[in-house]
């Protein structure tokens, strides 16, 4: 249907005179394919009347209080252009027949891009800054669109919330990992075409499938019958996380025999992405098959498998940045003519789902879901240690060997290291190291192979190997979701769910780098390379001095088991002037670690089962929408609930022992928000104020520290596990979104976020390590009022869109960011900071200088300009041909997306000495945002 014919078609409705009883109905279809569209929101603009189309695209209004006279029906559906249809309502029944919606090509193409464009940010390491929790939350809300499409590249997070505080479901099954509470985005990457059907509940608002979280609930519906009939083939080119992507999708729609199927496949690839050496190799396969058995029962099977390998990028100090630039990555080097990254992340976790839909009566529906997920997540790295055993003349065994750190950006290879002595700096060596680093500065694979061959020739084993830290998970989710429509005003939702996880955690030898074996002991456990071999050095006392070969498990080996039972119930009340909801949930969570190696440093607390951890949690939330008029609305939401700690933060050093975090308990969360919304044909506004308090959280970090006190031995250094417990956090702020339809083709938009996210108390800190027997408790870490790191806490946007009737469009935004902070070191905010190694106060401690040293770094403000545009053609037979191009950071602005203080200098004296240097040796490490980048996509839709 051409644009002119489409307008003519709609013109027939402009003067509908609806008489008889106040009953109004119609069927909404796709303007190109005439497929019926489900879940279209239909409302009468001047009133509070609103409904959704059913699976046949049908809607109906039947009420004595329907407004009479000239009215406007508003049709809204994600992926389609909104339609305003004038009608005249009186007292008669009228069937509006078929109402076509045009595909929103601008929005559809943007949605294709946003999931792909942000994929780089979604796969960072555990310790790095998480991407925004609501990446898939692209809705008709102006602020959330700004957050998803423009703010996400800067690691901006709505309301400062990590993704573990949002719930992401697929076909009603929760996808958040039990290990860290976060969705594993790599499990469904590359399936953009089948991710468009989303039901999003913002923040604390009601959801029919979950109690939800602070950051909202997203349910991606990947059910075969939910996709409109047709297909798509597309190709994308970019200079971001990958260089190319090809994708194909076809959906049958629901056929006359009740069957429906959908399949999609894609490939994304790059030898290196925007950052040097960051390879990208990803495939994706999706299939969904559904069958409508009868009027009461339907079944659907969904399976997807998205194996992918990503090359990681290093966080760099200012010194490294000054020498090599923002694209520098120390993890890779050339092997021959090929780029080889030593640190890759590989995900291979197929997901299988079975969904049963049971319509018991027209008012009672039950959805039963079962999911099975298995596979592996592997993170590779270079391991180096002892190479062989020797027997001394006295009969005592010892191990000899060990390689130097191969990292080309290791601090002992940089110029600052040779200038560390201010009274006798080594300028010559510093200059030579600078020139070498600028000229080469990448991993020397040839040297690693040569070192291994030399060791073998001298009777040893591999000095260097590629190790892979593995998580092999098997997880089962099952639930039943109930929806009961008591009457037009009351809806009751409920869910009962069960999850079981068995997670195998181990290190394996991935590549011996030319060697024949690797001695599985801790070379540095007793302080130097030639100490007698003792029990403390053994990774597993049951297999002493193991020689590990490729594929063998070594270093650590343990299982984590988790069980979660949860139920929630919710009542929604919808009246003419007010909508209300009340929801509650109850859950029980249990965790247990089972050690499979008997670690030499913890012989009595590493093998076998740990204590069983149990957490019983509850939640209550409520909210209301008061409709002052059809255009002016007030929203309020409030919640109080507890949340079990995740597995990652339950065991202080799970790789080596069964120790549980001291004082571990569930997090307590209190939150509230208040919004004013104005909605008119030419203007939409939302202003929201929010307050969130998170209490009793725990965090575990791993690093090498120098300047420690209270170790009880003649040492001040150790590789430690830092356990921070009893953490309270406060998030307060405002959100604003404004959208103005200036003309039929021009739209202006603005968004702003004003947040303040801080630690609101002083938590407790203690250290554990295999270098000392007992945990060292440093007591209070004075973090109160420090800002929580994780992207800018303030952001603003101005933008416009132009939609031409000829199906081409263009948009641009100007985005301002401020108040982004480096993550602080909790250890330097404890008593250890002002204590000498003997436990006595440092005599040279100066409180004023200390205050300056511990001031949190705030990053510079910056402005990014983005642009997007495209063109589509509606061809004969309902075919679409189109393309779009997205440009980010058009003016190539340099900015920091995040960073953290290194905890290496743990006391006043060592930190002061380092920061007084012209170039600190252990300065903060940073991530830098991409420069000017593009993403271009061309597609055919049929």
């Amino acid at each position: 249907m051409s644009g002119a014919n489409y307008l003519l078609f709609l013109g027939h409705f402009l003067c509908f005179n609806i008489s008889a009883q106040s009953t109004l109905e119609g069927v909404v279809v796709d303007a190109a394919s005439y497929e019926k569209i489900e879940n279209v929101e239909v409302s009468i603009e001047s009133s509070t009347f609103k409904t959704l189309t059913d699976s046949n695209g049908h809607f109906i209004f039947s009420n004595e209080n329907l407004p009479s006279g000239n009215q406007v029906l508003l049709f809204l559906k994600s992926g389609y252009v909104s339609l305003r249809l004038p009608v005249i309502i009186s007292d008669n029944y009228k069937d509006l027949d078929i109402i076509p919606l045009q595909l929103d090509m601008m929005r559809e193409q943007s949605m294709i891009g946003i999931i792909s464009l942000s994929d780089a940010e979604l796969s960072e390491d555990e310790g790095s800054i998480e991407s925004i929790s609501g990446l898939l939350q692209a809705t008709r809300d102006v602020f959330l669109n700004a957050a998803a499409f423009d703010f996400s590249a800067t690691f901006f997070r709505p309301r400062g919330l990590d993704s573990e505080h949002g719930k992401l479901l697929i076909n009603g099954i929760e996808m958040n990992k039990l290990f860290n509470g976060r969705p594993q985005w790599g499990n469904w990457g590359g399936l953009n075409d089948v991710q468009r059907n989303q039901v999003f509940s913002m923040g604390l608002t009601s959801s029919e499938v979950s109690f939800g979280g602070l950051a909202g609930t997203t349910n991606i519906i990947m059910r075969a019958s939910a996709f409109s009939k047709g297909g798509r083939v597309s190709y994308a080119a970019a200079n971001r996380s990958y260089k190319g992507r090809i994708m194909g999708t076809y959906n049958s729609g629901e056929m006359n025999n009740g069957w429906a199927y959908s399949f999609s496949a894609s490939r994304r690839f790059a030898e290196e992405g925007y950052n040097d050496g960051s390879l990208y190799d990803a495939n994706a396969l999706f299939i969904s098959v559904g069958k409508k058995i009868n009027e009461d029962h339907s079944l659907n099977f969904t399976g997807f498998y998205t194996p992918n390998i990503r090359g990681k990028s290093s966080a760099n100090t200012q010194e490294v940045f000054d020498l090599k630039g923002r694209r520098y990555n120390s993890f890779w080097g050339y092997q021959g003519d090929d780029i080889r990254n030593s640190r890759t992340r590989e995900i291979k976790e197929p997901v299988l789902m079975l969904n049963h839909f049971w319509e018991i009566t027209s008012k009672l529906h039950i959805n039963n879901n079962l999911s099975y997920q298995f596979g592996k997540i592997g993170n590779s790295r270079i391991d180096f240690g002892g190479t062989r055993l020797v027997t001394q003349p006295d009969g005592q065994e010892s191990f000899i060997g060990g390689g130097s750190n191969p990292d080309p950006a290791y601090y002992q290879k940089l110029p600052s290291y040779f200038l560390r002595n201010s009274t006798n700096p080594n300028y010559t060596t510093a200059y030579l190291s600078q020139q070498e680093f600028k000229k080469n500065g990448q991993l020397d694979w040839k040297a690693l192979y040569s070192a291994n061959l030399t060791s073998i020739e001298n009777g040893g084993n591999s000095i260097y190997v590629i190790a892979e830290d593995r998580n092999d998970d098997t997880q089962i989710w099952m639930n039943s979701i109930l929806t009961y429509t008591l009457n037009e005003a009351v809806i009751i939702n409920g869910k009962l769910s069960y999850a079981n996880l068995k997670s195998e955690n181990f290190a394996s030898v991935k590549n011996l780098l030319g060697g024949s074996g690797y001695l599985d002991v801790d070379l540095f456990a007793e302080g130097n390379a030639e100490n007698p071999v003792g029990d403390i050095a053994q990774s597993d006392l049951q297999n002493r001095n193991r020689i590990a070969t490729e594929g063998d498990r070594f270093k650590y080996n343990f299982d984590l088991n988790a069980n979660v039972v949860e139920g929630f119930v919710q009542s929604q009340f919808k009246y003419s002037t007010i909508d209300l909801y009340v929801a509650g949930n109850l859950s029980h969570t249990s965790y247990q670690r089972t050690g499979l190696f008997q670690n030499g440093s913890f012989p009595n607390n590493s093998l076998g089962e740990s204590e069983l951890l149990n957490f019983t949690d509850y939640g209550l939330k409520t909210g209301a929408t008061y409709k002052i008029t059809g255009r002016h609305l007030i929203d309020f939401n409030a919640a109080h609930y507890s949340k079990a700690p995740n597995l990652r933060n339950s065991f202080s050093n799970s790789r080596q022992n069964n120790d549980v975090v001291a004082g571990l308990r569930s997090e307590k969360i209190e939150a509230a928000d208040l919004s004013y919304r104005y909605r008119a044909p030419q203007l939409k506004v939302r202003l929201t104020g929010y307050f969130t308090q998170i209490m009793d959280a725990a965090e575990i970090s791993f690093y090498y520290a120098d300047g420690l006190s209270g170790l009880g031995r003649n040492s001040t250094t150790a590789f430690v596990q830092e356990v921070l417990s009893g953490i309270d956090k406060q998030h307060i702020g405002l959100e604003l979104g404004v959208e103005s339809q200036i003309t039929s083709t021009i739209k202006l938009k603005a968004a702003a976020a004003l947040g303040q996210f801080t630690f609101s108390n002083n938590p407790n800190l203690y250290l554990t390590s295999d270098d000392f027997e007992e945990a060292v408790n440093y007591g209070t870490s004075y973090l109160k009022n420090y800002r929580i790191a994780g992207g800018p806490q303030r952001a603003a946007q101005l933008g416009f869109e132009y939609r031409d009737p000829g199906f081409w469009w263009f948009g641009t935004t100007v985005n301002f960011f401020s108040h982004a902070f480096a993550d602080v070191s909790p250890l330097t905010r404890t008593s250890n900071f002002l204590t000498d190694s003997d436990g006595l106060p440092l005599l040279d401690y100066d409180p004023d200088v200390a205050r300056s040293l511990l001031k949190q770094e705030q990053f510079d403000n910056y402005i990014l300009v983005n642009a997007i545009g495209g063109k589509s053609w509606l061809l004969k037979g309902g075919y679409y041909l189109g393309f779009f191009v997205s440009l980010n950071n058009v003016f190539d602005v340099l900015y920091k997306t995040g960073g953290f203080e290194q905890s290496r200098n743990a006391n006043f004296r060592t930190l002061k000495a380092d920061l007084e240097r012209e170039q600190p040796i252990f300065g903060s490490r940073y991530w830098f945002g991409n420069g000017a980048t593009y993403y271009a996509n061309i597609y055919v839709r049929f």
Side-chain angles (χ1 to χ4, degrees):
M1 180 182 291
S2 70
N5 289 336
Y6 178 74
L7 293 175
L8 262 172
F9 186 80
L10 290 182
H12 289 297
F13 295 109
L14 294 180
C15 295
F16 264 138
N17 187 352
I18 300 170
S19 51
Q21 189 182 9
S22 300
T23 300
L24 177 65
E25 65 178 324
V27 176
V28 182
V29 300
D30 185 289
S33 66
Y34 278 81
E35 290 288 321
K36 296 168 183 177
I37 309 175
E38 185 179 2
N39 288 327
V40 178
E41 181 184 301
V42 187
S43 60
I44 302 175
E45 277 195 348
S46 65
S47 72
T48 58
F49 288 96
K50 182 168 59 177
T51 189
L52 294 174
T53 59
D54 61 20
S55 58
N56 294 314
H58 178 258
F59 72 92
I60 185 169
F61 288 106
S62 180
N63 194 294
E64 295 179 358
N65 298 317
L66 284 181
S68 60
N70 293 318
Q71 301 295 334
V72 174
L73 291 181
L74 177 63
F75 297 82
L76 298 176
K77 171 70 175 179
S78 179
Y80 288 86
V81 178
S82 59
L83 172 64
R84 299 178 69 246
L85 186 64
V87 297
I88 302 173
I89 299 179
S90 56
D91 294 329
N92 287 340
Y93 163 82
K94 184 63 182 182
D95 185 352
L96 296 180
D97 199 16
I98 294 176
I99 299 155
L101 292 189
Q102 283 278 11
L103 196 65
D104 186 347
M105 301 312 298
M106 177 176 180
R107 179 174 178 77
E108 186 184 63
Q109 293 171 123
S110 299
M111 279 297 295
I112 296 171
I114 182 59
I115 301 171
S116 303
L117 304 186
S118 298
D119 196 31
E121 288 79 27
L122 291 171
S123 61
E124 295 293 340
D125 286 340
E126 294 295 338
S128 73
I129 300 170
E130 276 293 299
S131 185
I132 67 167
S133 58
L135 185 70
L136 300 180
Q137 295 175 3
T139 69
R140 293 190 179 273
D141 183 272
V142 180
F143 176 81
L144 288 180
N145 276 339
F149 286 76
D150 294 292
F151 296 171
S152 62
T154 69
F155 291 96
F156 173 84
R157 300 184 296 189
R159 304 187 185 182
L161 296 170
D162 188 274
S163 59
E164 69 173 288
H165 290 289
K167 296 294 184 182
L168 193 141
L169 300 90
I170 295 179
N171 291 346
I173 298 172
E174 188 171 321
M175 303 301 293
N176 296 59
K177 283 282 190 179
L178 292 177
F179 179 71
N180 58 18
R182 299 166 180 164
Q184 179 56 255
W185 307 91
N187 280 340
W188 53 86
L191 299 177
N192 310 53
D193 283 350
V194 291
Q195 293 177 358
R196 294 189 182 85
N197 294 328
Q198 300 172 21
V199 179
F200 173 63
S201 300
M202 179 179 175
L204 298 171
T205 56
S206 61
S207 167
E208 296 186 355
V209 294
S210 174
F211 181 80
L214 293 171
T217 303
T218 300
N219 184 26
I220 305 176
I221 301 171
M222 299 167 77
R223 180 183 176 188
S225 60
F227 300 118
S228 298
K229 181 180 180 180
R232 170 195 297 274
V233 176
S234 65
Y235 180 80
N239 64 342
R240 298 174 180 174
S241 54
Y242 54 77
K243 296 297 179 67
R245 186 201 71 189
I246 186 168
M247 181 181 295
T249 302
Y250 183 76
N251 311 309
S252 71
E254 188 170 312
M255 298 180 288
N256 293 333
N257 59 7
W259 285 93
Y261 63 87
S262 173
F263 65 84
S264 183
S266 74
R267 172 160 174 76
R268 295 164 291 163
F269 51 89
E271 185 178 31
E272 57 181 345
Y274 184 83
N275 291 319
D276 294 340
S278 55
L279 72 94
Y280 198 117
D281 185 1
N283 299 292
L285 180 64
F286 165 88
I287 185 170
S288 183
V289 179
K291 168 64 174 176
K292 185 175 182 179
I293 300 172
N294 53 43
E295 292 301 318
D296 299 331
H297 295 275
S298 298
L299 288 175
N300 192 86
F301 168 80
T302 299
F304 47 91
Y305 180 44
T306 61
N308 58 90
I309 302 175
R310 301 286 307 279
K312 297 182 183 180
S313 300
S314 57
N316 300 318
T317 63
Q318 188 66 42
E319 178 183 15
V320 171
F321 169 80
D322 291 340
L323 293 172
K324 300 292 285 189
R326 67 176 162 193
R327 295 195 184 196
Y328 175 71
N329 176 14
S330 66
F331 295 157
W332 72 279
Y334 282 105
Q335 186 172 358
D337 295 328
D338 297 327
I339 292 173
R340 184 176 181 183
N341 194 314
S342 64
R343 296 201 180 192
T344 61
R345 181 175 178 84
E346 184 174 8
I347 301 175
K348 292 183 176 180
E349 290 193 313
V351 178
L352 306 175
M353 295 180 175
L354 184 63
N355 311 104
H356 170 232
F357 304 88
W358 183 11
E359 187 173 332
I360 300 175
T361 69
S362 60
K363 293 186 175 183
L364 180 60
H365 303 260
I366 292 181
N367 176 203
N368 299 308
N369 305 297
L370 175 65
S371 171
Y372 178 64
Q373 179 174 323
F374 59 98
K376 79 160 199 174
I377 298 177
N379 293 278
S380 70
R381 56 183 170 82
I382 295 176
D383 201 310
F384 51 99
T387 63
R388 64 190 175 101
L389 294 169
V390 297
T391 302
Q392 304 295 341
D394 60 1
Q396 180 68 54
E397 287 183 327
S398 64
F399 46 83
I400 296 177
S404 61
N405 193 322
D407 183 356
Y410 185 54
Y411 77 96
Q412 293 184 11
K413 301 177 182 179
L414 297 175
S416 59
Y417 179 75
F418 302 102
L419 302 176
R420 66 190 184 281
N421 188 342
S422 59
T423 59
N424 187 28
N426 189 339
Y427 291 110
T428 301
T429 308
Y431 174 78
L432 293 175
S433 69
Q434 179 195 65
Q435 297 305 304
E436 172 62 21
F437 187 67
K438 291 175 70 174
K439 180 181 178 180
N440 297 313
Q442 298 304 147
L443 198 60
D444 190 345
W445 287 104
K446 183 178 180 180
L448 303 186
Y449 278 87
S450 296
N452 284 348
L453 291 175
T454 300
S455 175
I456 293 170
E457 290 171 357
N458 288 280
N461 302 291
S462 290
I463 299 175
Y464 299 99
V465 297
I466 299 294
E468 186 175 42
D469 296 307
R470 289 273 295 275
N471 306 104
D472 289 12
D473 289 355
T474 302
Q475 181 168 289
I476 296 174
W477 278 93
M478 58 181 68
N479 65 44
S480 289
I481 302 172
L482 176 146
T483 302
Y484 178 56
T485 305
L486 185 62
N487 52 48
E488 290 185 356
V490 181
I491 299 175
I492 297 174
N493 308 113
K495 182 171 79 170
L496 183 64
S497 66
Y498 170 73
N500 172 266
L501 168 69
K502 180 181 180 182
S503 178
E504 300 179 42
N505 298 263
F506 57 92
S508 67
V509 179
K510 190 172 184 179
N511 193 315
L512 287 166
L513 301 181
S516 58
Y518 190 71
L519 182 62
D520 184 19
V521 297
D522 184 355
L523 173 66
F524 309 105
E526 295 179 306
N528 64 65
E530 296 186 8
N531 271 355
V533 175
D535 287 350
I536 195 172
Q538 301 298 321
S539 297
D540 183 11
L541 291 172
Q542 301 175 107
N543 196 346
R544 294 172 55 88
N545 304 324
R546 173 198 296 110
I547 301 298
T549 59
E550 288 185 8
D552 288 348
R553 299 187 181 194
F554 77 131
K555 293 297 183 182
Y556 64 91
N557 187 13
F558 64 95
D559 290 345
L560 290 173
N561 294 277
N563 289 278
V564 181
V565 179
E566 182 177 7
F568 108 95
V569 64
Q570 173 180 270
S571 296
Q572 300 180 69
F573 308 90
K574 300 184 178 183
Y575 302 106
S576 58
T577 59
I578 191 168
D579 292 344
L580 302 165
Y581 73 89
V582 179
N585 84 321
L586 184 66
S587 66
H588 179 78
T589 304
S590 63
Y591 300 144
Q592 191 166 44
R593 177 191 185 272
T594 303
L596 303 177
F597 281 1
Q598 185 178 16
N599 187 274
S601 297
F602 305 95
N604 301 318
N605 190 30
S606 54
L607 186 66
E609 295 181 344
S610 71
E611 66 174 289
L612 183 64
L613 306 182
N614 289 286
F615 306 92
T616 299
D617 297 285
Y618 67 93
L620 293 170
K621 70 176 183 177
T622 186
T625 298
Y626 176 61
K627 308 163 190 175
I628 303 172
T629 68
R631 294 185 175 182
H632 300 271
L633 302 96
I634 300 292
D635 293 332
F636 173 74
N637 301 280
H640 174 82
Y641 64 96
S642 62
K643 173 177 171 287
N646 56 52
L647 264 172
R648 185 184 188 277
N649 293 326
S650 295
F651 297 94
S652 60
N653 184 12
S654 59
R655 289 187 176 182
Q656 293 184 312
N657 60 53
N658 286 330
D659 285 345
V660 175
V661 169
L664 185 67
R665 51 187 177 269
S666 294
E667 296 180 15
K668 311 296 188 301
I669 297 173
E670 296 175 347
D673 61 60
L674 180 66
S675 301
Y676 165 74
R677 287 189 290 140
Y678 176 77
R679 55 185 192 185
Q682 279 73 42
L683 181 65
K684 294 180 176 63
V685 179
R686 176 173 70 85
L687 176 64
T688 299
Y690 60 86
F691 172 85
T692 300
Q693 184 77 29
I694 301 171
M695 297 163 283
D696 293 332
E699 295 178 0
I700 300 175
S701 303
F702 303 84
Y703 54 84
Y704 193 87
D706 191 4
L708 298 175
S709 61
L711 299 189
R713 56 189 176 86
N714 295 323
S715 177
T716 61
T717 64
F719 182 82
V720 300
Q721 297 82 47
E722 175 191 273
V723 181
L724 199 63
S725 60
I727 308 168
D728 292 354
K729 302 176 183 179
Q730 186 180 89
H731 299 241
I732 58 175
L734 295 172
E735 295 172 345
L736 174 66
V738 180
E739 181 180 274
S740 177
Q741 192 74 47
I742 301 299
T743 70
S744 61
T745 58
I746 297 176
K747 180 189 295 183
L748 300 182
K749 57 185 180 180
L754 182 65
Q756 181 173 291
F757 317 135
T758 59
F759 292 98
S760 57
N761 77 327
N762 296 314
N764 186 80
L765 184 148
Y766 70 91
L767 302 180
T768 65
S769 175
D770 58 6
D771 288 331
F772 44 85
E773 294 182 5
E774 299 293 333
V776 179
N777 191 342
Y778 289 118
T780 301
S781 178
Y782 293 92
L783 295 179
K784 188 173 182 179
N785 296 326
Y786 277 98
R787 296 295 186 104
I788 298 169
Q793 300 190 3
R794 299 182 185 179
Q797 177 187 95
L798 288 175
F800 83 94
E801 297 173 5
Y802 174 80
R803 296 172 182 263
D804 191 89
F807 297 102
W808 65 270
W809 50 273
F810 170 77
T812 188
T813 60
V814 179
N815 306 276
F816 170 80
F817 303 95
S818 71
H819 290 75
F821 298 85
D823 203 0
V824 299
S825 165
L827 180 59
T828 58
R829 276 80 181 174
T830 67
S831 59
N832 181 79
F833 189 67
L834 46 89
T835 306
D836 209 341
S837 59
D838 56 9
L840 297 175
L842 289 168
L843 297 179
D844 55 348
Y845 181 78
D846 185 325
D848 293 330
V849 175
R851 193 174 298 110
S852 175
L853 294 176
L854 299 179
K855 183 179 179 181
Q856 188 173 20
E857 180 182 1
Q858 180 175 344
F859 301 147
D860 294 337
N861 304 340
Y862 52 96
I863 295 175
L864 303 181
V865 176
N866 302 328
I868 188 170
K871 166 70 174 172
S872 63
W873 294 266
L874 179 56
L875 309 176
K876 291 182 179 180
Y879 286 67
Y880 282 98
L881 171 66
F883 75 92
F884 82 96
V885 177
S886 169
L887 305 175
N888 275 29
N889 192 5
V890 173
F891 296 106
D892 199 34
V893 174
L894 176 66
Y895 62 97
K896 295 174 181 174
T897 60
F900 59 93
E901 297 176 356
Q902 296 194 68
S903 297
R904 181 66 178 258
N905 294 307
N907 70 23
F908 171 82
R909 185 176 294 156
T910 58
L911 181 61
K912 178 175 179 290
D914 195 30
L915 294 183
E916 284 179 345
R917 296 186 176 100
E918 182 177 348
Q919 188 64 263
I921 299 175
F922 299 108
S924 295
R925 290 183 175 270
Y926 304 107
W927 287 277
F928 294 88
N930 290 350
T933 59
Y934 71 89
Y935 182 93
N937 183 72
I938 185 169
Y939 67 93
V940 175
R941 183 178 183 269
F942 55 91

